[in-house]
């Protein structure tokens, strides 16, 4: 009898495992290919059913993240900044005037060892050194992944290099792709493959050694082996949200929230990405398999008669002081006139002088309706930009985007020139993706600080603020009120426009124990009153708003409540998300590896600004018994306060609680009435009612007395006493921060420094006994 041939194979055993970490890519059509614009990874627990489900994006949380990301990129309030960075992406990926394609070096995702069947949850290290090429788009993606505001869940998320690639042999990762080529018609897709523990069986003898003799009652030996992807043939096809949930429903311990069906319906309307969206981020063979036609890589040298005519007219006008606009009337009717004029200006932007003619050429080439898109231009002058904005014969300009990294002689005069335009309502100060340094536009901010009226009518977007937050460094400078000392400082952004300074939280580790103080600095968030209100209502929705202890992974993502809130108080976070600056200082110090007694610097309370107080219970009561405290643990009490007469100094606090003639105490609606009287207050009542239902189920059922609500404004006496207690803690908290940063600087304390600092100190580790994992962190001084 002929012996049968044994075919080696991988033997399956144990239970299959779904992808439990995900990498999110935002791609767009740039020079003929779908190229990555932002990448964010989110690592979760391998077995969320073992009690770690809150940190997992498996199942419904993943599609909720997809829906939130799509909402962010679809929101019209974010569109201009996104388009500006997509415009800059063309010059990033196509160098040397479009003749050379740039290919980022491929980067592999860090993942767990295949031989470890029970890996612990790991978080990706944060890159504080390298700048993010497209900070606004990256901030959009990061916030969409990291926070689910409807349930106040935070998820681990970290930006990754643009060269990051997905591998379908990954034992840990799935992938989400968002195509933002057309912002009015986004596309998305999910990719993932299940894994299972396997052992290699090279021979029949090895099989019998692993499984025991035939008929044996001895259980097979499954020691060793490794996790491997189940599917041998893995098709390059993306799944919809519904298909993903059918294939990977997620752990039973992660329930679908009440808004789950609405999220599914919203995603059902979004088409899937085309297959070419996967070419670069999911390489199937060689690094770049698809050859591009030369027409996509270069402008080409052969010029049409129309283009020659436009080139001739351009050359005849670029060097003169001024010219009559009608001489361009005929060529403006030529198909693709703007594109041809743009190519000339991009090629010869260094010839644009400080003239009216330069402004006219810029306006003719780069005006898109009432928006002027100048971010692609290098080495242009402030005078040319000012001239381009102020040309009444060509209509009005209501918004402008420029790249401050490549401007000629960037100076405060830029704001002086732009302020002459009465029609201007939005200014976008972008950064070059090729920049080497990452210092925000501090000079411009300081110039603007002397023009608060300009802030009142013009919305400014500083890409530098997003870039700084993504590196976890501080960016908003301070101005000393006394030139002889830096002990007392004020923020550059005017409090008359961005009135909220900070949040002070008084909390107890366990009920009945002494209160502690925590702080959230919001001055660098540039929040207008209505913008603050929308974020604050989202923040209050969290059960941790009054308990700021770092218990969850990436707990600082809760700050995204303020920087990714609905565009207005009447909007739902399921349908509207406006992106604004991340609270950079609080986000940096809120890193999971920084101890709880290191907090953002608590500022002096200015009569021009407002501070928010938050605590738990039915009122601030340090004498409450443990039983009384536990009976009201679901309650949130807050107040928005400001001194009526003079600044309250942290270093010299009052000795007794301030009276009504010294301290103003109001609720959110009263705050809006004072600072933004035109805002409709009805949505505030509705949202507070929804928060009450979330905080206390009994409130929804009508069990609680009408006089006691889960969310309520502190009375004046309670607010004054709580403020006094917070101020007593503030000096020690500020000293903790000062000491840590001074020690890290080798004995030097640099107020207002913009230098990146390392906060992983022997001092910090000693404070926590080495229980937290160390990780390098870059940041800058907030000023002493």
């Amino acid at each position: 009898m002929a012996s049968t041939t044994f075919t080696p194979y991988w033997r399956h055993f144990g239970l299959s495992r779904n992808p439990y970490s995900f990498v999110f890519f935002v791609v767009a059509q740039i020079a003929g290919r779908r190229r990555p614009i932002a990448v964010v990874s989110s690592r979760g627990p391998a077995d969320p059913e073992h009690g770690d489900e809150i940190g997992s994006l498996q199942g419904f949380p993943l599609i909720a993240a997809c829906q939130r990301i799509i909402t962010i990129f679809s929101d019209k309030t974010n569109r201009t900044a996104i388009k500006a960075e997509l415009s800059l992406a063309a010059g990033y990926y196509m160098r040397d005037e479009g003749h050379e394609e740039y290919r980022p070096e491929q980067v592999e995702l860090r993942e767990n060892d295949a031989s470890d069947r029970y890996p612990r949850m790991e978080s990706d290290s944060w890159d504080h050194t390298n700048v993010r090429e497209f900070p606004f788009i990256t901030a959009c993606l990061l916030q969409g992944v990291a926070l689910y505001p409807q349930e106040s869940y935070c998820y681990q998320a970290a930006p990754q290099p643009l060269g990051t690639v997905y591998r379908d042999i990954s034992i840990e990762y799935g992938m989400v792709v968002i195509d933002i080529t057309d912002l009015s018609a986004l596309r998305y897709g999910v990719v993932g493959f299940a894994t299972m523990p396997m052992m290699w069986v090279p021979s029949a003898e090895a099989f019998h050694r692993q499984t025991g003799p035939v008929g044996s009652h001895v259980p097979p030996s499954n020691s060793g082996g490794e996790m491997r992807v189940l599917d041998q043939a893995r098709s390059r096809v993306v799944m919809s949200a519904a298909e993903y949930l059918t294939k990977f429903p997620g752990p039973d311990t992660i329930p679908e929230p009440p808004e789950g069906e609405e999220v599914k319906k919203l995603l059902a309307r979004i088409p899937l990405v085309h297959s070419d969206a996967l070419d670069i981020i999911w390489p199937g063979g060689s690094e770049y398999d698809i050859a591009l036609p030369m027409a996509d890589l270069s402008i080409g040298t052969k010029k049409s008669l129309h283009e020659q005519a436009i080139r001739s007219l351009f050359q005849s006008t670029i060097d003169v002081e001024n010219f009559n606009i009608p001489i361009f009337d005929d060529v403006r009717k030529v198909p693709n006139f703007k594109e041809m004029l743009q190519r000339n200006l991009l090629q010869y932007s260094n010839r644009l002088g400080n003239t009216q003619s330069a402004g006219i050429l810029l306006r003719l080439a780069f005006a898109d309706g009432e928006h002027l898109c100048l971010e692609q231009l290098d080495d242009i002058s402030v005078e040319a930009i000012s001239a381009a904005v102020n040309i009444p014969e060509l209509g009005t300009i209501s918004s402008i985007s420029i790249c401050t990294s490549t401007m000629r002689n960037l100076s405060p005069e830029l704001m002086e020139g732009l302020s002459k335009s009465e029609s201007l309502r939005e200014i976008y100060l972008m950064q070059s993706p090729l920049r080497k340094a990452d210092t925000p536009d501090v000079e411009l901010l300081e110039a603007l600080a002397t023009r608060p009226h300009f802030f009142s009518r013009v919305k400014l977007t500083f890409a530098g603020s997003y870039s700084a937050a993504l590196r976890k460094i501080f960016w908003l400078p301070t101005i000393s009120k006394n030139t002889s000392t830096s002990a007392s400082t004020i923020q550059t952004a005017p409090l008359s426009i961005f009135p909220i300074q900070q949040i002070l939280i008084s909390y107890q580790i366990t009920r009945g124990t002494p209160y502690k103080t925590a702080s959230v600095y919001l001055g660098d968030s540039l929040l207008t009153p209505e913008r603050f209100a929308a974020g604050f209502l989202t923040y209050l929705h969290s059960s941790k708003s009054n308990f700021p202890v770092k218990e969850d992974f990436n707990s600082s993502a809760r700050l995204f409540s303020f920087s990714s809130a609905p565009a207005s108080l009447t909007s739902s976070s399921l349908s509207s998300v406006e992106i604004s600056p991340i609270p950079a200082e609080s986000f940096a110090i809120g890193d999971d590896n920084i101890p709880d007694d290191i907090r953002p610097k608590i500022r002096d309370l200015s009569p021009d600004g407002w501070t928010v107080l938050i605590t738990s219970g039915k009122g601030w009561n340090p004498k409450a018994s443990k039983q009384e405290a536990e009976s009201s643990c679901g309650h949130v009490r807050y107040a928005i306060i400001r001194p009526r007469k003079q600044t309250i100094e942290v270093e010299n606090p009052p000795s007794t609680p301030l009276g009504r003639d010294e301290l103003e105490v109001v609720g959110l609606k009263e705050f809006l009435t004072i600072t933004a009287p035109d805002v409709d207050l009805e949505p505030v009542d509705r949202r507070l009612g929804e928060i009450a239902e979330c905080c206390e189920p009994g409130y929804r059922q009508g069990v609680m007395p009408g006089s006691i609500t889960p969310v309520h404004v502190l009375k004046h006496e309670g607010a004054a006493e709580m403020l006094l207690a917070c101020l007593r803690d503030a000096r020690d908290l500020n000293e903790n921060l000062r000491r840590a940063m001074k020690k890290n600087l080798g004995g030097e304390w640099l107020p207002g420094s913009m230098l990146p600092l390392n906060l992983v100190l022997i001092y910090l580790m000693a404070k926590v006994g080495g229980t937290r994992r160390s990780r390098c962190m870059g940041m800058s001084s907030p000023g002493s």
Side-chain angles (χ1 to χ4, degrees):
M1 183 176 178
S3 61
T4 58
T5 301
F6 182 86
T7 302
Y9 73 105
W10 284 97
R11 179 173 66 85
H12 303 175
F13 64 91
L15 300 175
S16 64
R17 178 180 289 163
N18 300 338
Y20 56 90
S21 297
F22 286 87
V23 57
F24 294 77
F25 294 93
V26 168
V27 302
Q29 180 84 357
I30 306 292
R33 306 193 74 173
R34 295 297 202 274
R35 304 177 190 271
I37 307 298
V39 186
V40 167
S41 66
S42 177
R43 304 192 75 183
D47 296 297
E49 63 269 18
H50 293 160
D52 226 358
E53 63 272 7
I54 296 302
S56 174
L57 277 175
Q58 297 185 52
F60 178 82
L62 180 73
I63 69 164
C66 293
Q67 189 273 327
R68 180 164 161 81
I69 294 167
I70 289 171
T71 299
I72 290 172
F73 283 103
S74 299
D75 201 295
K76 292 182 179 180
T77 59
N78 306 321
R79 188 162 294 182
T80 302
I82 293 170
K83 282 186 172 181
E85 289 197 335
L86 290 180
S87 177
L88 290 168
Y92 176 77
Y93 279 112
M94 305 309 302
R95 314 273 175 97
D96 188 23
E97 298 183 3
H99 292 275
E100 178 186 351
E101 179 187 16
Y102 172 66
R103 304 179 178 185
E105 182 180 352
Q106 287 188 353
V107 177
E108 304 294 335
L109 290 162
R110 184 172 67 93
E111 62 179 317
N112 289 314
D113 190 334
S115 62
D116 187 354
R117 292 189 217 165
Y118 305 103
R120 66 173 185 170
M121 181 172 175
E122 296 285 352
S123 58
D124 283 327
S125 58
W126 199 278
D127 185 351
H128 305 281
T129 304
N130 295 308
V131 299
R132 294 297 159 197
E133 293 85 354
F134 309 106
F136 187 84
I137 292 176
T138 303
C140 289
L141 180 59
L142 177 71
Q143 295 182 83
V145 174
L147 177 68
Y148 184 53
Q150 282 76 17
E151 300 297 320
S152 303
Y153 289 159
C154 298
Y155 299 97
Q156 194 278 327
Q160 298 297 331
L162 291 181
T164 301
V165 293
Y166 167 75
R167 303 291 185 185
D168 55 22
I169 58 172
S170 172
I171 62 165
E172 179 177 345
Y173 282 93
M175 172 175 66
V176 173
V177 188
I178 310 291
D179 187 346
I180 64 170
T181 301
D182 184 349
L183 291 171
S184 61
L186 299 180
R187 294 176 176 270
Y188 84 111
V190 183
V191 175
F193 301 96
T195 60
M196 179 175 279
M198 303 182 190
M199 292 187 70
W200 178 243
V201 183
S203 64
E205 292 76 11
F207 174 79
H208 291 305
R209 283 197 302 271
Q210 293 177 18
T211 62
V214 177
S216 170
H217 296 290
V218 178
S221 171
N222 291 328
S223 60
E226 60 185 75
M227 298 296 296
R228 292 179 64 86
V229 174
L230 271 172
D231 297 337
Q232 295 299 309
R234 296 177 287 278
S235 59
R236 297 171 62 81
V237 177
V238 298
M239 295 178 282
S240 66
E243 291 167 335
Y244 165 76
L245 286 178
T246 299
K247 186 175 181 180
F248 303 117
D252 294 336
T253 52
I254 305 180
E256 185 175 302
E259 68 278 2
E261 287 303 317
E262 180 64 19
V263 169
K264 294 176 186 176
K265 289 178 182 177
L266 291 170
L267 278 176
R269 304 170 189 164
I270 309 299
L272 298 180
V273 296
H274 297 301
S275 59
D276 63 347
L278 310 174
D279 290 341
I280 293 177
I281 61 177
W282 182 7
S286 61
E287 184 175 350
Y288 281 74
D289 295 325
I290 302 173
L292 288 178
M294 287 305 295
D296 289 328
L297 297 177
S298 172
I299 298 170
T301 56
K302 186 178 181 181
K303 308 294 184 185
S304 68
L305 291 176
H306 283 152
E307 186 142 10
Q308 291 178 43
I310 291 171
R311 168 65 64 89
S312 176
L313 193 54
F314 167 77
Q315 295 286 3
S316 67
T317 55
I318 189 172
D319 294 322
V320 301
E321 179 65 30
N322 200 353
F323 63 84
N324 292 322
I325 298 174
I327 67 173
F328 271 83
D329 285 351
D330 289 337
V331 294
R332 289 172 70 183
K333 301 173 185 177
V334 171
N336 302 318
F337 160 75
K338 278 192 175 182
E339 289 80 356
M340 289 185 278
L341 184 56
Q342 285 174 10
R343 287 200 288 267
N344 282 282
L345 282 165
L346 290 172
Q347 188 172 357
Y348 298 103
S349 62
N350 60 337
R351 289 180 56 187
L352 287 170
N354 305 331
T355 62
Q356 183 69 13
S357 64
I360 296 172
L361 289 170
L362 291 174
R363 183 71 169 268
L364 291 173
F366 294 101
D368 181 9
E370 292 191 359
H371 180 69
L372 190 58
C373 322
L374 302 182
E375 63 278 346
Q376 291 187 79
L377 287 157
D378 293 337
D379 198 29
I380 56 174
S381 68
V382 168
E383 291 81 1
I385 294 173
S386 300
V389 171
N390 298 291
I391 305 177
E393 305 95 307
L394 294 176
T396 60
I397 289 294
S398 60
S399 61
I400 182 174
S401 53
I402 57 179
C403 181
T404 58
S405 308
T406 56
M407 281 186 58
R408 185 190 312 163
N409 301 322
L410 180 64
S411 66
E413 280 69 35
L414 173 63
M415 292 299 118
E416 182 67 34
L418 293 178
S419 65
K420 295 177 182 178
S421 172
E422 292 296 327
S423 63
L424 202 58
R425 292 294 178 267
E426 297 178 1
I427 299 175
Y428 297 84
L429 302 176
M430 313 309 293
Q431 290 184 310
S432 168
L434 298 173
R435 68 194 184 281
K436 300 300 181 183
D438 198 26
T439 53
D441 311 306
V442 175
E443 286 187 3
L444 294 181
L445 271 170
E446 291 177 344
L448 285 168
T450 64
R451 300 177 175 86
H453 63 282
F454 192 56
F455 272 114
S456 67
R457 69 177 178 87
V458 177
K459 171 189 173 183
L460 284 104
T461 296
F462 295 92
S465 67
Y466 298 92
S467 188
L470 291 172
R471 291 176 57 207
K472 293 193 175 181
I473 62 174
F474 305 163
W475 71 275
L476 185 66
T478 55
I479 302 174
S480 176
K481 292 190 293 185
N482 187 335
T483 55
S484 63
T485 176
S486 61
S488 184
T489 58
I490 58 175
Q491 67 182 43
T492 308
L495 289 170
S496 59
I497 309 300
F498 312 112
I500 296 295
Q501 292 183 269
Q502 59 202 336
I503 298 175
L504 300 180
I505 307 167
S506 188
Y507 67 101
Q508 297 168 298
I509 297 294
T510 57
R511 305 300 170 186
T513 59
Y515 280 90
K516 293 177 174 289
T517 298
S519 61
V520 176
Y521 177 57
L522 292 178
D524 52 5
S525 302
L526 304 184
L527 297 171
T528 60
E530 184 177 10
R531 184 82 187 131
F532 161 74
F536 185 58
L537 289 167
T538 305
Y539 187 75
L540 280 181
H541 189 273
S542 168
S543 61
K544 298 296 181 65
S545 62
N546 58 0
F547 189 66
V549 177
K550 299 167 187 173
E551 293 182 320
D552 307 324
F553 270 89
N554 200 26
S555 57
S556 61
R558 198 162 287 114
L559 296 167
F560 297 162
S561 300
F562 295 101
S563 52
S564 59
S568 71
L569 289 171
T570 58
S571 302
S572 162
S573 57
L574 281 177
S575 59
S576 173
V577 180
E578 179 180 359
I579 298 299
S580 56
I582 294 169
E585 182 176 327
S586 296
F587 185 52
I589 298 179
D591 188 280
D592 288 342
N593 294 318
I594 303 300
D596 286 326
D597 62 351
I598 303 293
R599 299 287 183 177
K601 182 190 174 190
I602 298 177
R603 270 65 175 183
D604 294 344
L605 279 67
S606 167
D608 298 324
W610 296 80
T611 290
V612 183
L613 304 179
I614 299 179
T615 190
S616 60
K618 298 175 183 177
W620 191 79
N621 182 10
K623 299 179 180 180
S625 66
K626 183 177 181 180
Q627 183 177 3
E628 290 174 327
E630 288 178 346
S631 68
S632 58
C633 62
H635 296 225
V636 176
R637 291 292 180 265
Y638 79 96
I640 305 176
I641 64 169
R642 65 174 173 177
R644 291 185 183 273
K645 299 177 180 178
Q646 59 188 19
T647 298
I648 300 174
E649 297 182 358
V650 171
E651 294 300 319
N652 186 29
S655 57
T656 58
L658 298 176
R660 295 179 183 274
D661 60 334
E662 300 171 295
L663 184 69
E664 188 171 5
V665 179
V666 299
L668 184 59
K669 291 169 62 177
E670 292 79 8
F671 165 77
L672 288 172
T673 299
I674 295 169
T675 59
D678 295 333
V679 172
D680 181 11
L681 300 181
E682 187 278 329
V684 176
D685 286 325
R686 174 168 45 81
R687 286 288 290 121
L688 286 173
E690 294 170 357
I691 295 168
E693 292 181 2
C694 176
C695 291
E696 180 59 67
Y699 178 73
R700 180 170 57 246
Q701 299 162 12
V703 174
M704 297 181 64
S707 59
I708 301 176
T709 57
V711 182
H712 203 67
V713 180
L714 284 164
K715 295 180 179 179
H716 183 278
E717 292 75 12
E721 290 177 3
M722 176 182 161
L723 173 62
L724 192 61
C726 290
L727 290 173
R728 288 169 182 154
D729 291 342
R731 282 176 290 183
D732 289 339
L733 288 170
N734 285 357
E735 182 59 29
N736 288 347
L737 177 63
R738 191 199 322 268
R739 190 184 309 152
M741 299 179 79
K742 179 179 180 180
K743 190 166 185 176
N744 188 52
L745 281 171
E748 295 184 28
W749 174 246
L750 303 179
S753 168
M754 296 301 296
L755 299 175
L757 310 179
N758 181 347
L759 265 187
V760 182
L761 309 171
I762 297 175
Y763 165 75
L764 298 185
M765 298 312 296
K767 296 287 282 185
V768 295
T771 57
R772 294 187 189 270
R773 297 190 306 276
S774 63
R775 185 164 74 212
C776 288
M777 174 175 181
M779 53 190 307
S780 304
S781 162
S784 67

